[in-house]
Amino acid sequence: MENSLLKTAKQTVLFGLDSTSTDLGSEEPRKLVKRSSAKETQARISSADRTTAEAEALDGLMNPSTYTGLYGFHKYWGKKPVEPLRFLISALTNQNDLVVDPFVGSGAIAKEAVQLGRRFIGGDVNPTAIRLTRFFAQPCTAKQYTSALDKLERTLRSEIESSYSVAPFGVTSHLLWRSDELLSVWQREERKRGRKERVPTASDVELSRSFASYVPKTLRPLRLFQNGRINSFNGISWHTLFSGRALRNIELLLEGIRKIPNPARQALELTLTAALGQMSKMVFAISSRGKTRGEVSERIEVGSWVIGYWRPETHFEINVWNCFESKATKLKKALSDDVSSLPAPSSFRSVIGGESLLSVEKIDALELVENLPLGSTKLLITDPPHGDRIPYLELSEMWNAILNEDSLYEQEIVVSNAKGRDKTPECYRAALDDFFSLAVDRLQNSGFLVLLFNSRRDDDWLAIRGITDNPEMNLLGCFPMEYSATSVVQDNRDGA
């Protein structure tokens, strides 16, 4: 498939664009080409003699599945469907070609590249992104993970559950609060997938208060900014976001996890970050479901931590062990015992020299592409921050603090409303312009640059003019990316 796409110059492919039509040089830079429907796009790029494998790849491209397996395990921000990524890497590169992603994010591009036998170099300023990418590319075995999880259960479960246990009722699964008032207590029904609700007792309140003054001993302080868009402020603390009981139990889990040897330890640390939001005070209560159908139910349901640091007045406190176990069970099902064929992360230089397949480092995008040899890269495929849509590091600060990692705020290429960060649209456009200038020189003469981009703001599209206006690049086209599911992070409105 690759030969039909190659030309004599470097190529640009843009995915995930607008529904309107105009020229790249117009006054409205985000309105690049007419967005085709999935059927129109498939018909245009299909051929009568395509192979079954190509037909299946095209079907996956136009009808991506939801996030499953490893991809569904963690709530990393702004994840893209994997089918288009797999299709592009397969179509635009050959075995052992160099694929580069300077904004690795959730790690999907890295995982797909190494599984297809391509050399891969990736980087990100977000430590959680680096941890996830390395783990996705070379996970621990199911046996290693299960053994470590069993050890944690034997040593910690009863101690954690005792902090939710009130006689004669047993272990509490959920507590529903309105500010500091305990409204309801839930417990799991034995042998049933359901709940038993009861009125709180004085013992429930007393037990909760006994942990209220708990001071974290090992968690580093959170570093957040005044940013109304994500409900954060200077000086936000762990106690702002979590109950004392939750903090005590999180630290118990961390202490136990850090006694586990790698690679299972790394998997368990990521499991804890994946479960962290549901352990917080940011889990809202859902009420009055069915309004649109005229069938209003008074039954209260459990919401979830969605995005940002909003602390709803009415919220749930969920048993920390249950949150952790739920995520662990999901990951355990996704793991395999056959990981021998997957490459171990190695050095940047060894991948460039062809001695190894994978390098993923905590590094900013400008430095990464600057370190690449000129003309070395067959495919640079990346999903950079789309203006101010997702302030990745601010939203990932809890995860990075749990991992005891520093967030490289100063090096992030993003637009942020946070006071004091100085991440303006002008700075964002200048940084991306520098990035694309460096990236083009690192491509082979027959290389490709694939950019995934999505925004409703015209100003954000100015940031990619560095490639669309570059005389060394030929624009192959702009294609829609079909999302597998709606998301509060992915902007699926018309024009996005």
Side-chain angles (χ1 to χ4, degrees):
M1 183 174 283
E2 179 199 14
N3 292 335
S4 66
L5 295 170
L6 288 181
K7 303 203 175 164
T8 57
K10 302 169 184 178
Q11 315 294 321
T12 307
V13 182
L14 297 167
F15 258 72
L17 303 182
D18 197 280
S19 58
T20 346
S21 174
T22 191
D23 183 72
L24 280 169
S26 75
E27 295 300 315
E28 298 178 89
R30 73 181 174 92
K31 297 180 179 178
L32 299 178
V33 294
K34 181 178 180 181
R35 175 171 177 168
S36 305
S37 68
K39 289 183 178 179
E40 290 171 336
T41 305
Q42 186 166 7
R44 188 167 64 249
I45 62 178
S46 300
S47 62
D49 59 351
R50 69 177 184 265
T51 67
T52 301
E54 288 171 343
E56 290 175 352
L58 287 171
D59 181 66
L61 180 66
M62 299 307 161
N63 303 287
S65 61
T66 55
Y67 306 119
T68 58
L70 287 179
Y71 290 128
F73 148 67
H74 200 282
K75 188 192 183 76
Y76 194 84
W77 313 111
K79 294 188 290 187
K80 301 300 183 293
V82 297
E83 290 87 353
L85 308 178
R86 185 182 306 132
F87 172 84
L88 289 163
I89 295 168
S90 179
L92 302 179
T93 63
N94 291 318
Q95 289 276 321
N96 212 41
D97 278 343
L98 180 60
V99 177
V100 174
D101 181 4
F103 302 91
V104 292
S106 65
I109 291 173
K111 184 174 184 292
E112 294 300 324
V114 297
Q115 286 187 331
L116 289 168
R118 277 57 167 172
R119 290 177 295 139
F120 179 84
I121 290 176
D124 207 295
V125 295
N126 192 337
T128 298
I130 299 303
R131 294 280 196 109
L132 274 173
T133 301
R134 289 174 177 169
F135 176 68
F136 283 179
Q138 193 185 49
C140 65
T141 66
K143 184 177 180 180
Q144 290 168 330
Y145 188 74
T146 301
S147 175
L149 190 61
D150 288 345
K151 182 177 181 179
L152 285 182
E153 184 168 7
R154 290 194 306 271
T155 57
L156 292 176
R157 179 171 185 168
S158 62
E159 186 174 2
I160 291 173
E161 289 192 333
S162 69
S163 68
Y164 300 97
S165 183
V166 173
F169 306 105
V171 179
T172 295
S173 63
H174 297 71
L175 298 98
L176 180 62
W177 296 87
R178 182 185 296 124
S179 295
D180 294 328
E181 180 188 1
L182 184 55
L183 302 178
S184 179
V185 177
W186 296 5
Q187 290 169 289
R188 290 178 172 175
E189 289 190 300
E190 292 293 329
R191 302 174 186 173
K192 294 182 181 179
R193 294 176 62 94
R195 72 197 195 205
K196 182 178 181 181
E197 298 182 36
R198 62 177 177 82
V199 175
T201 66
S203 296
D204 293 304
V205 176
E206 182 180 347
L207 181 60
S208 298
R209 287 176 178 169
S210 69
F211 294 98
S213 60
Y214 180 85
V215 178
K217 301 175 179 62
T218 61
L219 298 178
R220 73 157 174 81
L222 296 172
R223 184 187 171 201
L224 285 164
F225 305 85
Q226 185 72 37
N227 189 343
R229 185 162 176 260
I230 60 170
N231 295 288
S232 70
F233 55 87
N234 290 318
I236 198 169
S237 71
W238 287 105
H239 270 287
T240 310
L241 305 177
F242 294 83
S243 69
R245 173 165 42 196
L247 291 173
R248 176 258 198 184
N249 292 330
I250 288 167
E251 288 205 314
L252 282 176
L253 279 172
L254 264 179
E255 182 181 1
I257 288 170
R258 287 169 178 166
K259 294 176 182 176
I260 302 290
N262 280 324
R265 170 183 166 175
Q266 295 171 344
L268 290 166
E269 287 176 334
L270 287 172
T271 303
L272 181 55
T273 66
L276 198 62
Q278 289 301 98
M279 299 175 180
S280 74
K281 299 177 185 178
M282 297 180 284
V283 180
F284 61 91
I286 303 172
S287 60
S288 301
R289 269 190 166 164
K291 283 183 179 179
T292 57
R293 303 187 306 271
E295 302 171 358
V296 179
S297 171
E298 297 303 319
R299 182 179 171 88
I300 301 292
E301 302 290 349
V302 183
S304 64
W305 175 50
V306 184
I307 184 172
Y309 299 98
W310 173 53
R311 286 85 58 198
E313 182 182 25
T314 302
H315 64 274
F316 279 98
E317 178 187 358
I318 306 178
N319 183 309
V320 162
W321 178 261
N322 291 350
C323 294
F324 181 76
E325 184 181 48
S326 175
K327 283 294 181 183
T329 300
K330 191 170 187 177
L331 178 56
K332 186 165 62 174
K333 291 177 180 178
L335 291 171
S336 167
D337 283 323
D338 182 17
V339 297
S340 58
S341 62
L342 298 175
S346 187
S347 70
F348 187 99
R349 291 185 180 276
S350 66
V351 176
I352 292 294
E355 292 92 32
S356 58
L357 286 181
L358 176 66
S359 173
V360 182
E361 301 295 336
K362 186 168 72 172
I363 185 174
D364 73 82
L366 287 168
E367 186 178 354
L368 186 150
V369 294
E370 194 169 23
N371 290 341
L372 291 169
L374 298 175
S376 62
T377 305
K378 185 57 179 289
L379 172 63
L380 194 154
I381 175 171
T382 196
D383 178 20
H386 310 159
D388 69 346
R389 292 183 59 238
I390 308 175
Y392 288 93
L393 281 178
E394 293 171 56
L395 292 174
S396 303
E397 173 61 4
M398 289 195 313
W399 300 334
N400 289 328
I402 284 287
L403 297 172
N404 199 28
E405 297 268 13
D406 291 327
S407 299
L408 303 179
Y409 281 116
E410 292 75 18
Q411 298 175 34
E412 187 179 26
I413 298 176
V414 74
V415 179
S416 174
N417 299 327
K419 295 180 180 179
R421 286 200 66 190
D422 196 30
K423 294 295 180 180
T424 64
E426 293 76 20
C427 293
Y428 168 77
R429 290 196 294 268
L432 272 189
D433 194 55
D434 290 342
F435 165 75
F436 288 128
S437 296
L438 291 168
V440 168
D441 290 337
R442 273 64 187 174
L443 292 177
Q444 298 175 9
N445 284 335
S446 59
F448 295 87
L449 192 156
V450 175
L451 179 67
L452 311 173
F453 204 78
N454 183 341
S455 178
R456 289 175 57 85
R457 292 166 54 93
D458 290 348
D459 286 351
D460 292 342
W461 291 93
L462 291 171
I464 68 170
R465 294 293 285 270
I467 50 169
T468 58
D469 292 348
N470 192 309
E472 293 187 58
M473 303 295 290
N474 289 334
L475 179 64
L476 286 181
C478 310
F479 306 96
M481 174 172 280
E482 300 296 329
Y483 287 88
S484 53
T486 57
S487 166
V488 295
V489 176
Q490 298 299 351
D491 195 339
N492 297 315
R493 296 173 293 174
D494 288 343

